[in-house]
Amino acid sequence: MAYWLFKSEPDVWGWDDQVARGDAGEEWDGIRNYQARNNMREMKIGDQGFFYHSRSGLEIVGIVEVCKESHPDSTTDDPRWDCVDIRAVRPMNRPVTMAEIKADPRLADMVLVRNSRLSVQPVTEEEWQIICEMGETAP
DNA sequence: GCCAACGTTGGC
DNA sequence: GCCAACGTTGGC
Protein backbone atom coordinates (compact mmCIF):
# COMPACT_ATOMS: atom_id res chain seq x y z
CA MET A 1 0.00 0.00 0.00
CA ALA A 2 1.19 3.48 -0.86
CA TYR A 3 0.86 6.80 0.92
CA TRP A 4 -0.03 10.19 -0.52
CA LEU A 5 -0.80 13.78 0.38
CA PHE A 6 -3.75 15.77 -0.96
CA LYS A 7 -3.76 19.55 -0.74
CA SER A 8 -6.79 21.77 -0.77
CA GLU A 9 -7.61 25.32 0.14
CA PRO A 10 -10.04 24.97 3.04
CA ASP A 11 -12.09 27.91 1.76
CA VAL A 12 -12.79 25.92 -1.40
CA TRP A 13 -12.90 22.31 -0.17
CA GLY A 14 -11.85 21.57 3.38
CA TRP A 15 -11.71 18.63 5.75
CA ASP A 16 -15.22 19.32 7.00
CA ASP A 17 -16.55 19.12 3.45
CA GLN A 18 -14.72 15.84 2.96
CA VAL A 19 -16.12 14.40 6.21
CA ALA A 20 -19.62 15.47 5.19
CA ARG A 21 -19.36 13.18 2.14
CA GLY A 22 -19.09 10.18 4.41
CA ASP A 23 -17.99 6.78 3.17
CA ALA A 24 -19.22 7.46 -0.35
CA GLY A 25 -16.27 9.80 -0.78
CA GLU A 26 -15.83 12.45 -3.43
CA GLU A 27 -13.97 12.94 -6.68
CA TRP A 28 -10.66 14.70 -6.19
CA ASP A 29 -11.37 16.65 -9.35
CA GLY A 30 -10.09 19.86 -10.85
CA ILE A 31 -6.45 18.77 -10.95
CA ARG A 32 -4.81 20.25 -14.05
CA ASN A 33 -1.21 19.30 -13.47
CA TYR A 34 0.44 16.31 -15.08
CA GLN A 35 2.57 15.28 -12.11
CA ALA A 36 -0.41 15.37 -9.78
CA ARG A 37 -2.51 13.45 -12.30
CA ASN A 38 0.19 10.85 -12.77
CA ASN A 39 0.34 10.34 -9.03
CA MET A 40 -3.41 9.75 -8.96
CA ARG A 41 -3.09 7.20 -11.77
CA GLU A 42 -0.71 5.23 -9.56
CA MET A 43 -3.18 5.01 -6.69
CA LYS A 44 -4.93 1.81 -5.66
CA ILE A 45 -8.09 1.35 -3.63
CA GLY A 46 -7.20 1.42 0.05
CA ASP A 47 -4.12 3.66 -0.36
CA GLN A 48 -3.95 6.17 2.49
CA GLY A 49 -3.37 9.90 2.25
CA PHE A 50 -2.93 12.98 4.37
CA PHE A 51 -5.44 15.81 3.89
CA TYR A 52 -3.58 19.12 3.95
CA HIS A 53 -5.02 22.63 4.17
CA SER A 54 -3.02 25.04 2.00
CA ARG A 55 -2.89 28.86 1.99
CA SER A 56 -5.04 29.37 5.07
CA GLY A 57 -4.37 26.61 7.55
CA LEU A 58 -1.03 25.18 6.45
CA GLU A 59 -1.53 21.95 8.34
CA ILE A 60 -2.33 18.28 7.91
CA VAL A 61 -5.76 17.85 9.41
CA GLY A 62 -6.82 14.31 8.63
CA ILE A 63 -6.38 10.98 6.92
CA VAL A 64 -8.24 9.87 3.80
CA GLU A 65 -8.26 6.73 1.70
CA VAL A 66 -8.66 6.07 -1.99
CA CYS A 67 -12.09 4.54 -2.59
CA LYS A 68 -12.16 4.66 -6.42
CA GLU A 69 -9.21 4.35 -8.74
CA SER A 70 -8.30 6.75 -11.52
CA HIS A 71 -11.11 7.65 -13.90
CA PRO A 72 -11.96 10.62 -16.14
CA ASP A 73 -12.50 13.90 -14.27
CA SER A 74 -16.22 14.62 -14.58
CA THR A 75 -15.66 18.39 -14.36
CA THR A 76 -14.03 18.59 -17.80
CA ASP A 77 -14.40 17.14 -21.29
CA ASP A 78 -10.63 17.30 -21.76
CA PRO A 79 -9.55 13.66 -21.92
CA ARG A 80 -6.15 14.45 -20.41
CA TRP A 81 -7.45 14.81 -16.87
CA ASP A 82 -8.21 11.90 -14.59
CA CYS A 83 -8.87 11.75 -10.87
CA VAL A 84 -9.55 9.35 -8.03
CA ASP A 85 -12.23 9.38 -5.35
CA ILE A 86 -11.24 9.68 -1.71
CA ARG A 87 -13.10 9.46 1.58
CA ALA A 88 -12.31 10.74 5.05
CA VAL A 89 -11.03 8.08 7.45
CA ARG A 90 -10.22 9.98 10.65
CA PRO A 91 -9.00 13.40 11.76
CA MET A 92 -5.56 13.96 13.23
CA ASN A 93 -5.91 14.18 16.98
CA ARG A 94 -3.50 17.08 16.69
CA PRO A 95 -3.03 18.89 13.36
CA VAL A 96 0.54 18.80 12.08
CA THR A 97 1.62 22.17 10.78
CA MET A 98 3.93 23.07 7.92
CA ALA A 99 6.17 24.81 10.48
CA GLU A 100 6.57 21.59 12.49
CA ILE A 101 7.29 19.60 9.35
CA LYS A 102 9.93 22.10 8.25
CA ALA A 103 11.47 22.05 11.71
CA ASP A 104 11.99 18.27 11.69
CA PRO A 105 15.16 17.29 9.82
CA ARG A 106 13.73 13.81 9.18
CA LEU A 107 11.09 15.44 6.97
CA ALA A 108 13.43 17.76 5.07
CA ASP A 109 13.04 15.73 1.87
CA MET A 110 9.26 15.67 1.88
CA VAL A 111 7.73 16.84 -1.37
CA LEU A 112 5.67 19.25 0.71
CA VAL A 113 8.92 20.98 1.70
CA ARG A 114 10.78 20.55 -1.60
CA ASN A 115 7.96 21.34 -4.01
CA SER A 116 5.19 23.03 -2.16
CA ARG A 117 3.22 23.68 -5.32
CA LEU A 118 2.51 20.06 -6.23
CA SER A 119 -1.04 19.40 -5.08
CA VAL A 120 -1.05 15.59 -5.07
CA GLN A 121 2.17 14.13 -3.72
CA PRO A 122 3.68 10.80 -2.74
CA VAL A 123 4.62 10.29 0.93
CA THR A 124 7.13 7.65 2.05
CA GLU A 125 6.24 5.09 4.69
CA GLU A 126 8.80 6.64 7.03
CA GLU A 127 7.33 10.12 6.57
CA TRP A 128 3.86 8.66 7.12
CA GLN A 129 4.84 7.15 10.45
CA ILE A 130 6.63 10.25 11.71
CA ILE A 131 3.69 12.51 10.91
CA CYS A 132 1.14 10.10 12.38
CA GLU A 133 3.19 10.17 15.56
CA MET A 134 3.25 13.97 15.53
CA GLY A 135 -0.49 13.99 14.92
CA GLU A 136 -1.08 11.53 17.73
CA THR A 137 -2.93 9.10 15.53
CA ALA A 138 -2.30 5.47 14.62
CA PRO A 139 -0.40 5.01 11.34
C1' DG B 1 -2.03 40.85 -0.51
C1' DC B 2 2.58 40.11 -2.22
C1' DC B 3 5.60 37.79 -4.95
C1' DA B 4 8.87 33.77 -5.81
C1' DA B 5 8.71 29.46 -7.83
C1' DC B 6 6.98 26.67 -11.01
C1' DG B 7 4.38 24.83 -15.09
C1' DT B 8 2.44 25.74 -19.52
C1' DT B 9 1.96 28.01 -23.87
C1' DG B 10 3.11 29.55 -28.23
C1' DG B 11 6.04 32.30 -31.55
C1' DC B 12 10.01 31.64 -33.87
C1' DG C 1 12.89 22.29 -30.00
C1' DC C 2 14.06 26.52 -27.57
C1' DC C 3 12.85 29.87 -24.47
C1' DA C 4 10.36 34.25 -23.30
C1' DA C 5 6.01 35.46 -21.71
C1' DC C 6 2.33 34.44 -19.09
C1' DG C 7 -0.76 32.39 -15.52
C1' DT C 8 -1.24 29.99 -11.21
C1' DT C 9 -0.08 28.31 -6.75
C1' DG C 10 0.75 28.74 -2.07
C1' DG C 11 3.98 30.19 1.80
C1' DC C 12 4.75 34.18 4.04
PDB file of all heavy atoms in Angstrom, chain A residues 93-124:
ATOM      1  N   ASN A  93      -5.543  13.736  15.642  1.00  0.00           N
ATOM      2  CA  ASN A  93      -5.913  14.184  16.984  1.00  0.00           C
ATOM      3  C   ASN A  93      -5.292  15.541  17.281  1.00  0.00           C
ATOM      4  O   ASN A  93      -5.825  16.321  18.067  1.00  0.00           O
ATOM      5  CB  ASN A  93      -5.481  13.154  18.030  1.00  0.00           C
ATOM      6  CG  ASN A  93      -6.364  11.913  17.952  1.00  0.00           C
ATOM      7  OD1 ASN A  93      -7.581  12.019  17.817  1.00  0.00           O
ATOM      8  ND2 ASN A  93      -5.758  10.739  17.998  1.00  0.00           N
ATOM      9  N   ARG A  94      -4.168  15.788  16.611  1.00  0.00           N
ATOM     10  CA  ARG A  94      -3.502  17.080  16.690  1.00  0.00           C
ATOM     11  C   ARG A  94      -3.036  17.418  15.284  1.00  0.00           C
ATOM     12  O   ARG A  94      -2.272  16.645  14.699  1.00  0.00           O
ATOM     13  CB  ARG A  94      -2.285  16.962  17.625  1.00  0.00           C
ATOM     14  CG  ARG A  94      -1.888  18.231  18.353  1.00  0.00           C
ATOM     15  CD  ARG A  94      -0.701  17.966  19.289  1.00  0.00           C
ATOM     16  NE  ARG A  94       0.470  17.497  18.555  1.00  0.00           N
ATOM     17  CZ  ARG A  94       1.262  18.297  17.825  1.00  0.00           C
ATOM     18  NH1 ARG A  94       1.038  19.590  17.772  1.00  0.00           N
ATOM     19  NH2 ARG A  94       2.300  17.811  17.171  1.00  0.00           N
ATOM     20  N   PRO A  95      -3.484  18.545  14.708  1.00  0.00           N
ATOM     21  CA  PRO A  95      -3.032  18.886  13.362  1.00  0.00           C
ATOM     22  C   PRO A  95      -1.508  19.055  13.328  1.00  0.00           C
ATOM     23  O   PRO A  95      -0.922  19.523  14.305  1.00  0.00           O
ATOM     24  CB  PRO A  95      -3.729  20.222  13.068  1.00  0.00           C
ATOM     25  CG  PRO A  95      -4.873  20.281  14.011  1.00  0.00           C
ATOM     26  CD  PRO A  95      -4.444  19.536  15.238  1.00  0.00           C
ATOM     27  N   VAL A  96      -0.910  18.654  12.222  1.00  0.00           N
ATOM     28  CA  VAL A  96       0.541  18.796  12.076  1.00  0.00           C
ATOM     29  C   VAL A  96       0.802  19.933  11.100  1.00  0.00           C
ATOM     30  O   VAL A  96       0.389  19.875   9.945  1.00  0.00           O
ATOM     31  CB  VAL A  96       1.162  17.486  11.562  1.00  0.00           C
ATOM     32  CG1 VAL A  96       2.663  17.653  11.353  1.00  0.00           C
ATOM     33  CG2 VAL A  96       0.884  16.345  12.540  1.00  0.00           C
ATOM     34  N   THR A  97       1.452  20.970  11.584  1.00  0.00           N
ATOM     35  CA  THR A  97       1.624  22.171  10.776  1.00  0.00           C
ATOM     36  C   THR A  97       2.849  22.097   9.873  1.00  0.00           C
ATOM     37  O   THR A  97       3.805  21.367  10.129  1.00  0.00           O
ATOM     38  CB  THR A  97       1.795  23.416  11.675  1.00  0.00           C
ATOM     39  OG1 THR A  97       3.024  23.276  12.407  1.00  0.00           O
ATOM     40  CG2 THR A  97       0.644  23.555  12.656  1.00  0.00           C
ATOM     41  N   MET A  98       2.797  22.895   8.825  1.00  0.00           N
ATOM     42  CA  MET A  98       3.934  23.071   7.921  1.00  0.00           C
ATOM     43  C   MET A  98       5.185  23.467   8.702  1.00  0.00           C
ATOM     44  O   MET A  98       6.283  22.970   8.430  1.00  0.00           O
ATOM     45  CB  MET A  98       3.577  24.143   6.894  1.00  0.00           C
ATOM     46  CG  MET A  98       4.732  24.686   6.110  1.00  0.00           C
ATOM     47  SD  MET A  98       5.401  23.498   4.958  1.00  0.00           S
ATOM     48  CE  MET A  98       4.337  23.760   3.554  1.00  0.00           C
ATOM     49  N   ALA A  99       5.021  24.345   9.694  1.00  0.00           N
ATOM     50  CA  ALA A  99       6.172  24.805  10.481  1.00  0.00           C
ATOM     51  C   ALA A  99       6.830  23.639  11.218  1.00  0.00           C
ATOM     52  O   ALA A  99       8.058  23.535  11.253  1.00  0.00           O
ATOM     53  CB  ALA A  99       5.721  25.887  11.471  1.00  0.00           C
ATOM     54  N   GLU A 100       6.015  22.752  11.791  1.00  0.00           N
ATOM     55  CA  GLU A 100       6.570  21.590  12.485  1.00  0.00           C
ATOM     56  C   GLU A 100       7.288  20.666  11.513  1.00  0.00           C
ATOM     57  O   GLU A 100       8.329  20.096  11.834  1.00  0.00           O
ATOM     58  CB  GLU A 100       5.451  20.785  13.159  1.00  0.00           C
ATOM     59  CG  GLU A 100       4.814  21.433  14.369  1.00  0.00           C
ATOM     60  CD  GLU A 100       3.645  20.576  14.854  1.00  0.00           C
ATOM     61  OE1 GLU A 100       3.889  19.700  15.687  1.00  0.00           O
ATOM     62  OE2 GLU A 100       2.514  20.776  14.360  1.00  0.00           O
ATOM     63  N   ILE A 101       6.683  20.474  10.347  1.00  0.00           N
ATOM     64  CA  ILE A 101       7.288  19.596   9.347  1.00  0.00           C
ATOM     65  C   ILE A 101       8.631  20.151   8.907  1.00  0.00           C
ATOM     66  O   ILE A 101       9.624  19.436   8.818  1.00  0.00           O
ATOM     67  CB  ILE A 101       6.327  19.427   8.151  1.00  0.00           C
ATOM     68  CG1 ILE A 101       5.121  18.580   8.588  1.00  0.00           C
ATOM     69  CG2 ILE A 101       7.034  18.799   6.958  1.00  0.00           C
ATOM     70  CD1 ILE A 101       3.962  18.592   7.616  1.00  0.00           C
ATOM     71  N   LYS A 102       8.672  21.469   8.671  1.00  0.00           N
ATOM     72  CA  LYS A 102       9.933  22.104   8.247  1.00  0.00           C
ATOM     73  C   LYS A 102      10.984  22.041   9.343  1.00  0.00           C
ATOM     74  O   LYS A 102      12.179  22.022   9.060  1.00  0.00           O
ATOM     75  CB  LYS A 102       9.670  23.564   7.869  1.00  0.00           C
ATOM     76  CG  LYS A 102       9.096  23.729   6.494  1.00  0.00           C
ATOM     77  CD  LYS A 102       9.157  25.182   6.083  1.00  0.00           C
ATOM     78  CE  LYS A 102       9.041  25.323   4.574  1.00  0.00           C
ATOM     79  NZ  LYS A 102       8.961  26.733   4.166  1.00  0.00           N
ATOM     80  N   ALA A 103      10.531  22.029  10.589  1.00  0.00           N
ATOM     81  CA  ALA A 103      11.472  22.049  11.707  1.00  0.00           C
ATOM     82  C   ALA A 103      12.078  20.680  11.974  1.00  0.00           C
ATOM     83  O   ALA A 103      13.063  20.572  12.708  1.00  0.00           O
ATOM     84  CB  ALA A 103      10.769  22.569  12.964  1.00  0.00           C
ATOM     85  N   ASP A 104      11.502  19.616  11.415  1.00  0.00           N
ATOM     86  CA  ASP A 104      11.989  18.266  11.686  1.00  0.00           C
ATOM     87  C   ASP A 104      12.923  17.814  10.563  1.00  0.00           C
ATOM     88  O   ASP A 104      12.477  17.629   9.435  1.00  0.00           O
ATOM     89  CB  ASP A 104      10.797  17.306  11.801  1.00  0.00           C
ATOM     90  CG  ASP A 104      11.225  15.964  12.388  1.00  0.00           C
ATOM     91  OD1 ASP A 104      12.322  15.484  12.021  1.00  0.00           O
ATOM     92  OD2 ASP A 104      10.472  15.418  13.211  1.00  0.00           O
ATOM     93  N   PRO A 105      14.198  17.649  10.875  1.00  0.00           N
ATOM     94  CA  PRO A 105      15.163  17.288   9.820  1.00  0.00           C
ATOM     95  C   PRO A 105      14.830  15.967   9.130  1.00  0.00           C
ATOM     96  O   PRO A 105      15.203  15.757   7.981  1.00  0.00           O
ATOM     97  CB  PRO A 105      16.500  17.202  10.569  1.00  0.00           C
ATOM     98  CG  PRO A 105      16.171  17.157  12.025  1.00  0.00           C
ATOM     99  CD  PRO A 105      14.824  17.794  12.186  1.00  0.00           C
ATOM    100  N   ARG A 106      14.097  15.083   9.804  1.00  0.00           N
ATOM    101  CA  ARG A 106      13.727  13.808   9.183  1.00  0.00           C
ATOM    102  C   ARG A 106      12.758  14.010   8.026  1.00  0.00           C
ATOM    103  O   ARG A 106      12.572  13.121   7.193  1.00  0.00           O
ATOM    104  CB  ARG A 106      13.078  12.879  10.213  1.00  0.00           C
ATOM    105  CG  ARG A 106      14.014  12.455  11.344  1.00  0.00           C
ATOM    106  CD  ARG A 106      13.253  11.670  12.392  1.00  0.00           C
ATOM    107  NE  ARG A 106      12.181  12.472  12.990  1.00  0.00           N
ATOM    108  CZ  ARG A 106      11.260  11.967  13.839  1.00  0.00           C
ATOM    109  NH1 ARG A 106      11.281  10.689  14.160  1.00  0.00           N
ATOM    110  NH2 ARG A 106      10.317  12.754  14.338  1.00  0.00           N
ATOM    111  N   LEU A 107      12.112  15.168   7.999  1.00  0.00           N
ATOM    112  CA  LEU A 107      11.095  15.440   6.969  1.00  0.00           C
ATOM    113  C   LEU A 107      11.575  16.458   5.927  1.00  0.00           C
ATOM    114  O   LEU A 107      10.797  16.930   5.111  1.00  0.00           O
ATOM    115  CB  LEU A 107       9.807  15.945   7.636  1.00  0.00           C
ATOM    116  CG  LEU A 107       9.183  14.968   8.646  1.00  0.00           C
ATOM    117  CD1 LEU A 107       8.012  15.633   9.356  1.00  0.00           C
ATOM    118  CD2 LEU A 107       8.724  13.690   7.964  1.00  0.00           C
ATOM    119  N   ALA A 108      12.884  16.720   5.952  1.00  0.00           N
ATOM    120  CA  ALA A 108      13.428  17.758   5.066  1.00  0.00           C
ATOM    121  C   ALA A 108      13.273  17.411   3.586  1.00  0.00           C
ATOM    122  O   ALA A 108      13.249  18.307   2.745  1.00  0.00           O
ATOM    123  CB  ALA A 108      14.891  18.008   5.394  1.00  0.00           C
ATOM    124  N   ASP A 109      13.163  16.133   3.271  1.00  0.00           N
ATOM    125  CA  ASP A 109      13.041  15.732   1.871  1.00  0.00           C
ATOM    126  C   ASP A 109      11.603  15.525   1.416  1.00  0.00           C
ATOM    127  O   ASP A 109      11.363  15.102   0.289  1.00  0.00           O
ATOM    128  CB  ASP A 109      13.838  14.441   1.613  1.00  0.00           C
ATOM    129  CG  ASP A 109      15.336  14.726   1.577  1.00  0.00           C
ATOM    130  OD1 ASP A 109      15.706  15.854   1.201  1.00  0.00           O
ATOM    131  OD2 ASP A 109      16.115  13.827   1.925  1.00  0.00           O
ATOM    132  N   MET A 110      10.667  15.806   2.298  1.00  0.00           N
ATOM    133  CA  MET A 110       9.256  15.666   1.879  1.00  0.00           C
ATOM    134  C   MET A 110       8.961  16.553   0.684  1.00  0.00           C
ATOM    135  O   MET A 110       9.449  17.679   0.597  1.00  0.00           O
ATOM    136  CB  MET A 110       8.311  16.078   3.021  1.00  0.00           C
ATOM    137  CG  MET A 110       7.865  14.919   3.880  1.00  0.00           C
ATOM    138  SD  MET A 110       6.472  15.410   4.936  1.00  0.00           S
ATOM    139  CE  MET A 110       5.074  15.039   3.858  1.00  0.00           C
ATOM    140  N   VAL A 111       8.114  16.048  -0.208  1.00  0.00           N
ATOM    141  CA  VAL A 111       7.732  16.843  -1.374  1.00  0.00           C
ATOM    142  C   VAL A 111       7.067  18.138  -0.917  1.00  0.00           C
ATOM    143  O   VAL A 111       7.240  19.191  -1.529  1.00  0.00           O
ATOM    144  CB  VAL A 111       6.800  16.034  -2.296  1.00  0.00           C
ATOM    145  CG1 VAL A 111       6.418  16.850  -3.520  1.00  0.00           C
ATOM    146  CG2 VAL A 111       7.454  14.731  -2.713  1.00  0.00           C
ATOM    147  N   LEU A 112       6.335  18.058   0.176  1.00  0.00           N
ATOM    148  CA  LEU A 112       5.670  19.248   0.714  1.00  0.00           C
ATOM    149  C   LEU A 112       6.658  20.373   0.991  1.00  0.00           C
ATOM    150  O   LEU A 112       6.340  21.550   0.829  1.00  0.00           O
ATOM    151  CB  LEU A 112       4.937  18.874   2.013  1.00  0.00           C
ATOM    152  CG  LEU A 112       3.947  19.895   2.567  1.00  0.00           C
ATOM    153  CD1 LEU A 112       2.765  20.087   1.631  1.00  0.00           C
ATOM    154  CD2 LEU A 112       3.467  19.479   3.952  1.00  0.00           C
ATOM    155  N   VAL A 113       7.866  20.001   1.411  1.00  0.00           N
ATOM    156  CA  VAL A 113       8.917  20.978   1.697  1.00  0.00           C
ATOM    157  C   VAL A 113       9.650  21.358   0.418  1.00  0.00           C
ATOM    158  O   VAL A 113       9.925  22.529   0.159  1.00  0.00           O
ATOM    159  CB  VAL A 113       9.905  20.412   2.740  1.00  0.00           C
ATOM    160  CG1 VAL A 113      11.038  21.394   3.001  1.00  0.00           C
ATOM    161  CG2 VAL A 113       9.175  20.049   4.032  1.00  0.00           C
ATOM    162  N   ARG A 114       9.957  20.351  -0.398  1.00  0.00           N
ATOM    163  CA  ARG A 114      10.779  20.548  -1.599  1.00  0.00           C
ATOM    164  C   ARG A 114      10.025  21.207  -2.742  1.00  0.00           C
ATOM    165  O   ARG A 114      10.591  21.974  -3.508  1.00  0.00           O
ATOM    166  CB  ARG A 114      11.301  19.197  -2.092  1.00  0.00           C
ATOM    167  CG  ARG A 114      12.192  18.502  -1.109  1.00  0.00           C
ATOM    168  CD  ARG A 114      13.606  18.613  -1.551  1.00  0.00           C
ATOM    169  NE  ARG A 114      14.527  18.390  -0.456  1.00  0.00           N
ATOM    170  CZ  ARG A 114      15.837  18.348  -0.640  1.00  0.00           C
ATOM    171  NH1 ARG A 114      16.330  18.520  -1.825  1.00  0.00           N
ATOM    172  NH2 ARG A 114      16.629  18.170   0.389  1.00  0.00           N
ATOM    173  N   ASN A 115       8.759  20.820  -2.897  1.00  0.00           N
ATOM    174  CA  ASN A 115       7.964  21.339  -4.012  1.00  0.00           C
ATOM    175  C   ASN A 115       6.557  21.617  -3.509  1.00  0.00           C
ATOM    176  O   ASN A 115       5.631  20.845  -3.724  1.00  0.00           O
ATOM    177  CB  ASN A 115       7.946  20.334  -5.175  1.00  0.00           C
ATOM    178  CG  ASN A 115       7.115  20.816  -6.340  1.00  0.00           C
ATOM    179  OD1 ASN A 115       6.669  21.967  -6.359  1.00  0.00           O
ATOM    180  ND2 ASN A 115       6.903  19.944  -7.314  1.00  0.00           N
ATOM    181  N   SER A 116       6.434  22.740  -2.852  1.00  0.00           N
ATOM    182  CA  SER A 116       5.187  23.033  -2.157  1.00  0.00           C
ATOM    183  C   SER A 116       4.020  23.264  -3.115  1.00  0.00           C
ATOM    184  O   SER A 116       2.881  23.323  -2.692  1.00  0.00           O
ATOM    185  CB  SER A 116       5.355  24.246  -1.254  1.00  0.00           C
ATOM    186  OG  SER A 116       5.700  25.365  -2.026  1.00  0.00           O
ATOM    187  N   ARG A 117       4.316  23.390  -4.404  1.00  0.00           N
ATOM    188  CA  ARG A 117       3.215  23.679  -5.322  1.00  0.00           C
ATOM    189  C   ARG A 117       2.517  22.441  -5.863  1.00  0.00           C
ATOM    190  O   ARG A 117       1.456  22.551  -6.458  1.00  0.00           O
ATOM    191  CB  ARG A 117       3.723  24.522  -6.484  1.00  0.00           C
ATOM    192  CG  ARG A 117       4.120  25.914  -6.016  1.00  0.00           C
ATOM    193  CD  ARG A 117       4.299  26.837  -7.173  1.00  0.00           C
ATOM    194  NE  ARG A 117       3.213  26.686  -8.132  1.00  0.00           N
ATOM    195  CZ  ARG A 117       3.210  27.239  -9.321  1.00  0.00           C
ATOM    196  NH1 ARG A 117       4.228  27.953  -9.705  1.00  0.00           N
ATOM    197  NH2 ARG A 117       2.199  27.077 -10.138  1.00  0.00           N
ATOM    198  N   LEU A 118       3.131  21.280  -5.704  1.00  0.00           N
ATOM    199  CA  LEU A 118       2.510  20.064  -6.226  1.00  0.00           C
ATOM    200  C   LEU A 118       1.346  19.644  -5.323  1.00  0.00           C
ATOM    201  O   LEU A 118       1.519  19.441  -4.122  1.00  0.00           O
ATOM    202  CB  LEU A 118       3.550  18.953  -6.309  1.00  0.00           C
ATOM    203  CG  LEU A 118       3.091  17.622  -6.904  1.00  0.00           C
ATOM    204  CD1 LEU A 118       2.612  17.809  -8.337  1.00  0.00           C
ATOM    205  CD2 LEU A 118       4.214  16.610  -6.840  1.00  0.00           C
ATOM    206  N   SER A 119       0.155  19.526  -5.914  1.00  0.00           N
ATOM    207  CA  SER A 119      -1.043  19.397  -5.075  1.00  0.00           C
ATOM    208  C   SER A 119      -1.421  17.957  -4.729  1.00  0.00           C
ATOM    209  O   SER A 119      -2.226  17.746  -3.831  1.00  0.00           O
ATOM    210  CB  SER A 119      -2.226  20.084  -5.750  1.00  0.00           C
ATOM    211  OG  SER A 119      -2.450  19.512  -7.015  1.00  0.00           O
ATOM    212  N   VAL A 120      -0.860  16.993  -5.449  1.00  0.00           N
ATOM    213  CA  VAL A 120      -1.049  15.587  -5.074  1.00  0.00           C
ATOM    214  C   VAL A 120       0.330  14.954  -5.069  1.00  0.00           C
ATOM    215  O   VAL A 120       0.983  14.883  -6.113  1.00  0.00           O
ATOM    216  CB  VAL A 120      -1.970  14.846  -6.065  1.00  0.00           C
ATOM    217  CG1 VAL A 120      -2.107  13.379  -5.674  1.00  0.00           C
ATOM    218  CG2 VAL A 120      -3.350  15.499  -6.118  1.00  0.00           C
ATOM    219  N   GLN A 121       0.782  14.529  -3.895  1.00  0.00           N
ATOM    220  CA  GLN A 121       2.174  14.126  -3.716  1.00  0.00           C
ATOM    221  C   GLN A 121       2.289  12.732  -3.122  1.00  0.00           C
ATOM    222  O   GLN A 121       1.451  12.335  -2.326  1.00  0.00           O
ATOM    223  CB  GLN A 121       2.868  15.053  -2.714  1.00  0.00           C
ATOM    224  CG  GLN A 121       2.561  16.508  -2.841  1.00  0.00           C
ATOM    225  CD  GLN A 121       3.264  17.322  -1.771  1.00  0.00           C
ATOM    226  OE1 GLN A 121       3.820  16.779  -0.819  1.00  0.00           O
ATOM    227  NE2 GLN A 121       3.231  18.631  -1.947  1.00  0.00           N
ATOM    228  N   PRO A 122       3.390  12.049  -3.446  1.00  0.00           N
ATOM    229  CA  PRO A 122       3.678  10.804  -2.737  1.00  0.00           C
ATOM    230  C   PRO A 122       4.293  11.097  -1.368  1.00  0.00           C
ATOM    231  O   PRO A 122       4.962  12.115  -1.189  1.00  0.00           O
ATOM    232  CB  PRO A 122       4.697  10.111  -3.640  1.00  0.00           C
ATOM    233  CG  PRO A 122       5.378  11.220  -4.380  1.00  0.00           C
ATOM    234  CD  PRO A 122       4.360  12.330  -4.504  1.00  0.00           C
ATOM    235  N   VAL A 123       4.046  10.203  -0.417  1.00  0.00           N
ATOM    236  CA  VAL A 123       4.620  10.290   0.928  1.00  0.00           C
ATOM    237  C   VAL A 123       5.272   8.942   1.201  1.00  0.00           C
ATOM    238  O   VAL A 123       4.677   7.899   0.893  1.00  0.00           O
ATOM    239  CB  VAL A 123       3.503  10.570   1.964  1.00  0.00           C
ATOM    240  CG1 VAL A 123       4.028  10.441   3.391  1.00  0.00           C
ATOM    241  CG2 VAL A 123       2.885  11.955   1.749  1.00  0.00           C
ATOM    242  N   THR A 124       6.475   8.937   1.750  1.00  0.00           N
ATOM    243  CA  THR A 124       7.128   7.653   2.048  1.00  0.00           C
ATOM    244  C   THR A 124       6.537   7.064   3.328  1.00  0.00           C
ATOM    245  O   THR A 124       5.933   7.772   4.143  1.00  0.00           O
ATOM    246  CB  THR A 124       8.649   7.818   2.233  1.00  0.00           C
ATOM    247  OG1 THR A 124       8.883   8.555   3.432  1.00  0.00           O
ATOM    248  CG2 THR A 124       9.284   8.532   1.051  1.00  0.00           C
TER     249      THR A 124
END
